[in-house]
Amino acid sequence: DSDAPAAPTWDALLTATQQSLDALLGPATPIALAGFSFGGLVAAHLAARRGAVACLALLGPAGHGGPRRPRGDLRAWRDAWASGDAAALRDTMRHNLQVHMLAGPVDDEAVAIHTQACVRTRFHSKTISRAGGLRAALSQLTCPVLLAWGEHDVTATPALLAPALAAACPQAQTHTVPGAGHWVLYEAAEAINALLNTWLADRDTMVS
């Protein structure tokens, strides 16, 4: 529901995000920053650009440039949406969640969330996230970093990615959540809440 970026570019998205935070909190106010998936890549670059980030938590971050583990092909949903075929749209979204986002059963709430996210998005992120850049952003940081993935995240291979990113960012801690897929904060909400609460409790900072 926010205004669109000034241009459909990476720099415009980062600039708009930073300007929003600075207007709300002040440009020099230390914050704790968290991001999921493409938002994780945004958060990492924002932390490197803004400074005044006391700690950074990234869940299933995109832009790592490492191997993915696809379980099947995604289905196109736009025709079903445009034609108003609600049943076909639900079936497509359920399929895409099962092969790409979730390790376990797909419930109606997940379908509703994913559908809203798809039909309302106005920024094409795939080309940016596939281009990499996460490691370079992390290498610029001096703040504590938490990196977490679901064990079955198809967008990454945590066993290979965790040590590679930790080597680029020595202050990073890595964690893999058993039994969860890419939507780790949805499938393993209690585990992620506990992980973040414990990690943030050790840092005297304002959480944003």
Side-chain angles (χ1 to χ4, degrees):
D1 292 330
S2 60
D3 293 338
T9 64
W10 183 225
D11 183 70
L13 179 65
L14 283 172
T15 298
T17 306
Q18 181 174 350
Q19 287 176 343
S20 297
L21 280 174
D22 289 351
L24 289 168
L25 304 172
T29 303
I31 60 172
L33 193 61
F36 163 66
S37 196
F38 179 66
L41 180 61
V42 173
H45 279 276
L46 183 63
R49 175 186 287 203
R50 179 182 187 268
V53 173
C55 54
L56 176 69
L58 306 180
L59 308 177
H64 53 77
R68 299 158 61 86
R69 303 178 291 174
R71 292 205 307 249
D73 294 329
L74 296 174
R75 297 177 184 170
W77 56 267
R78 285 182 174 81
D79 286 346
W81 169 253
S83 67
D85 190 338
L89 183 64
R90 282 195 302 272
D91 182 67
T92 298
M93 292 297 178
R94 189 176 297 275
H95 167 83
N96 290 348
L97 283 165
Q98 191 67 79
V99 300
H100 195 69
M101 300 297 187
L102 303 174
V106 178
D107 57 28
D108 290 342
E109 184 178 33
V111 173
I113 292 170
H114 191 48
T115 301
Q116 185 180 64
C118 288
V119 302
R120 291 173 70 85
T121 189
R122 296 165 298 155
F123 189 89
H124 188 68
S125 63
K126 183 180 291 185
T127 54
I128 294 173
S129 60
R130 293 289 180 87
L134 177 63
R135 190 176 309 192
L138 291 176
S139 69
Q140 301 177 53
L141 302 179
T142 57
C143 65
V145 177
L146 175 67
L147 298 161
W149 298 266
E151 176 188 12
H152 303 298
D153 190 336
V154 303
T155 72
T157 306
L160 299 176
L161 189 56
L165 292 181
C169 184
Q171 65 276 25
Q173 299 178 26
T174 63
H175 189 84
T176 302
V177 179
H182 182 55
W183 272 21
V184 61
L185 64 172
Y186 185 86
E187 285 194 291
E190 291 186 4
I192 288 297
N193 287 341
L195 176 66
L196 289 175
N197 283 334
T198 299
W199 188 70
L200 290 169
D202 296 332
R203 288 151 184 88
D204 183 20
T205 184
M206 181 181 69
V207 177
S208 171

